[in-house]
């Protein structure tokens, strides 16, 4: 594959990753702010986020099985359809009256669509990587983090200047860009530009075995499934930090702008890891990188637990570099190494599902602990769960 074609492939993938993470930043970072503006309390916000993550976690394996087996649609088409759903739900929320149940239902569908789109964007990347094409996932994901950081800062400023409805208009514009970028990416399994594997022989691969059903997959890759339990526990605190950062920072004197700035610090700190990940892969085993990331998830949780000012929160956020950022990239390559190609979409989706399950627990626990106890109680429980997840990842990670 010549340099010009390789550059084009990478630019196409970057042009999909950047708007996705901008949208994730806009919606995920400011969920509490938006729902508080619609008269939700902390407990109700927790229920909404937990239900959105629950629906997504239930649907993700089925979406993965569908993606493995679909003939006429490609992964790119599926991603564009899901992005169109995000645009549609955002528009409905703009015109919807300020009533609890309708707003909660549509918001759940919007957030669920956003979560479901994430493993599809990863699967599009691994479509090329598993066939030997020189797609640099780390750089693409790093630029996604840069876009996340910019979107966080800008959205926080716009909300303070205008209103929380800014979130919905931004979501519509961002995912129109996503669709425009995604539909041109060729992910045909047969007769496409990238259908053939160029690993070793450069010839078309033999027909792959049929993908495993979910029950068979779980029996076949038992240690991988245990690892996913640990990963889901790591994401409990991670999701608490993202979803309830406004509530965490408010007692320390923080505002919506402070939340945006703090999330920008976290996202920008991811860039060195993302950009240098190809180099890290030449120096360290994926197993070691997964363990290191798990350790720093918990170190970050401990720092936030004991933070007594905004500066300490931002120091903790900078550990995204060796926690979340390292996990995000390492988990893609780790799954690609452990799971055969015929089950790869399912493997990548289940890794994303583990994150989502952590989101369910984090959203629900965070909301309820805030409602009935305090910010400190939420942080203590989240930190303990994160530490347990770290231990499981250390035991379950394999070569």
């Amino acid at each position: 594959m010549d340099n010009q074609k390789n550059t084009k492939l990478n630019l196409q993938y970057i042009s999909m990753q950047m708007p996705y993470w901008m949208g994730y930043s806009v919606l995920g970072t400011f969920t509490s702010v938006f729902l508080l503006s619609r008269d939700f309390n902390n407990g109700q916000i927790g229920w909404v986020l937990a239900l959105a993550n629950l629906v997504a976690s239930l649907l993700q394996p089925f979406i993965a099985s569908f993606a493995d087996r679909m003939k006429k649609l490609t992964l790119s088409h599926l991603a564009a359809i899901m992005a169109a759903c995000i645009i549609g739900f955002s528009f409905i929320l703009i015109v919807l009256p300020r009533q609890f149940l309708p707003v909660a239902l549509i918001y759940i569908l919007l957030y669920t669509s956003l979560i479901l789109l994430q493993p599809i964007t990863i699967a599009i990347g691994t479509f090329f990587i598993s066939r030997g094409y020189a797609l640099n996932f780390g750089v693409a994901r790093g630029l996604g983090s840069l876009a996340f950081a910019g979107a966080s800062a800008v959205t926080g400023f716009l909300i303070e200047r205008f209103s929380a409805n800014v979130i919905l208009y931004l979501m519509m514009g961002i995912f129109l860009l996503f669709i425009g970028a995604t539909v041109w990416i060729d992910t045909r399994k047969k007769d496409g530009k990238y259908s053939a594997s160029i690993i070793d022989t450069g010839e078309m691969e033999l027909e792959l075995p049929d993908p495993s059903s979910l029950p068979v997959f779980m029996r076949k890759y038992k240690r991988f499934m245990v690892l996913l339990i640990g990963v889901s526990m790591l994401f409990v605190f991670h999701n608490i930090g993202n979803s309830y950062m406004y509530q965490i920072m408010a007692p320390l004197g923080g505002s919506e702008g402070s939340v945006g700035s703090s999330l920008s610090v976290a996202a920008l700190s991811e860039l060195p890891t993302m950009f240098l990940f190809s180099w890290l892969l030449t120096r360290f085993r994926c197993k070691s990188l997964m363990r290191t990331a798990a350790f720093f998830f918990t170190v970050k949780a401990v720092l936030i637990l004991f933070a007594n000012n905004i500066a300490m929160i931002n120091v903790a956020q900078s550990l995204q570099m060796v926690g979340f950022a390292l996990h995000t990239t390492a988990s893609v390559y780790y799954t690609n190494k452990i799971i055969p190609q015929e089950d790869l979409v399912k493997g990548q989706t289940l890794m994303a599902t583990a994150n989502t399950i952590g989101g369910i627990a984090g959203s629900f626990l965070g909301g309820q602990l805030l409602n009935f106890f305090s910010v400190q109680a939420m942080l203590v429980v989240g930190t303990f769960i994160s530490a347990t997840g770290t231990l499981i990842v250390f035991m379950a990670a394999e070569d």
Side-chain angles (χ1 to χ4, degrees):
M1 188 176 185
D2 61 46
N3 288 336
Q4 186 176 359
K5 289 181 179 178
N6 180 51
T7 300
K8 181 180 178 182
L9 172 63
N10 277 275
L11 287 175
Q12 284 181 312
Y13 191 61
I14 288 166
S15 68
M16 183 186 71
Q17 280 279 345
M18 290 184 74
Y20 175 79
W21 287 105
M22 288 173 67
Y24 197 94
S25 170
V26 169
L27 193 69
T29 302
F30 296 99
T31 284
S32 289
V33 174
F34 176 77
L35 292 178
L36 286 170
S37 77
R38 295 293 178 100
D39 303 321
F40 285 58
N41 62 39
N42 288 321
Q44 290 167 337
I45 292 170
W47 275 107
V48 167
L49 287 172
L51 286 171
N53 282 285
L54 176 61
V55 172
S57 67
L58 292 174
L59 290 179
Q60 277 173 331
F62 296 101
I63 295 289
S65 292
F66 174 74
D68 278 331
R69 289 175 166 79
M70 61 189 182
K71 303 295 184 184
K72 295 182 180 180
L73 285 177
T74 68
L75 285 170
S76 303
H77 294 148
L78 182 59
I81 290 168
M82 295 172 72
C85 292
I86 291 172
I87 293 169
F89 293 133
S90 298
F91 177 76
I92 292 170
L93 278 172
I94 290 172
V95 301
L96 203 62
R98 191 185 291 258
Q99 296 176 2
F100 173 78
L101 283 177
V103 171
L105 175 61
I106 300 302
Y107 198 88
I108 287 168
L109 293 173
L110 171 61
Y111 204 92
T112 297
S113 300
L114 181 69
I115 296 169
L116 288 173
L117 183 53
Q118 184 176 338
I120 302 303
T121 65
I122 294 171
I124 289 173
T126 56
F127 174 91
F128 301 108
I129 294 170
S130 64
R131 287 166 171 77
Y133 295 97
L135 185 139
N136 193 321
F137 180 85
V139 169
R141 183 60 184 82
L143 289 171
S145 291
L146 183 62
F148 183 106
S152 292
V154 170
T155 305
F157 170 79
L158 291 175
I159 290 172
E160 287 187 336
R161 188 174 180 86
F162 300 103
S163 74
N165 272 349
V166 162
I167 293 167
L168 303 174
Y169 291 103
L170 288 173
M171 290 294 287
M172 292 172 66
I174 287 167
F175 282 98
L176 278 173
L177 289 175
F178 179 93
I179 291 172
T182 302
V183 293
W184 297 106
I185 299 176
D186 187 355
T187 53
R188 288 174 290 172
K189 293 179 182 178
K190 293 183 179 179
D191 304 321
K193 188 185 297 185
Y194 306 104
S195 299
S197 173
I198 58 173
I199 299 172
D200 295 331
T201 63
E203 298 175 355
M204 181 69 78
E205 288 186 340
L206 297 174
E207 194 72 25
L208 292 174
D210 289 335
S212 305
S213 65
L214 184 58
V216 171
F217 183 99
M218 294 172 72
R219 290 195 298 270
K220 190 186 294 187
Y221 311 109
K222 291 178 182 177
R223 192 162 174 177
F224 182 76
M225 298 305 297
V226 172
L227 178 80
L228 296 184
I229 294 171
V231 168
S232 68
M233 297 180 81
L234 294 175
F235 273 80
V236 170
F237 190 95
H238 180 77
N239 196 74
I240 284 173
N242 285 344
S243 299
Y244 300 108
M245 185 55 71
Y246 178 74
Q247 288 90 332
I248 293 169
M249 296 183 78
L252 305 177
S255 65
E256 290 91 342
S258 304
V259 173
S261 298
S262 181
L263 270 294
S264 295
V265 168
L268 288 172
S269 72
E270 297 172 5
L271 298 181
T273 302
M274 302 286 190
F275 290 152
L276 296 174
F277 190 76
S278 294
W279 177 83
L280 289 174
L281 273 179
T282 66
R283 299 294 191 277
F284 305 98
R285 293 179 295 176
C286 274
K287 176 177 77 171
S288 300
L289 296 174
M290 291 286 288
R291 287 175 169 177
T292 301
F295 174 74
F296 279 102
F297 264 90
T298 298
V299 173
K300 176 185 172 183
V302 170
L303 287 180
I304 292 177
L305 172 63
F306 291 107
N308 55 17
N309 55 53
I310 300 298
M312 284 188 68
I313 294 285
N314 289 336
V315 168
Q317 293 285 54
S318 70
L319 290 180
Q320 293 266 111
M321 180 187 299
V322 282
F324 175 78
L326 190 58
H327 170 82
T328 297
T329 42
S331 63
V332 170
Y333 287 90
Y334 178 87
T335 305
N336 207 51
K337 181 180 179 181
I338 298 298
I339 307 299
Q341 191 171 321
E342 67 269 17
D343 288 323
L344 193 52
V345 172
K346 193 176 280 86
Q348 295 290 356
T349 301
L350 287 173
M351 181 62 76
T353 302
N355 305 349
T356 305
I357 291 171
I360 297 169
S363 299
F364 178 75
L365 276 175
Q368 302 313 307
L369 289 169
L370 278 175
N371 219 31
F372 294 105
F373 297 100
S374 65
V375 170
Q376 195 69 6
M378 175 182 73
L379 296 178
V380 168
V381 173
T383 301
F384 175 78
I385 294 171
S386 181
T388 305
T390 295
L391 290 175
I392 293 173
V393 170
F394 264 72
M395 292 185 293
E398 58 186 308
D399 289 318

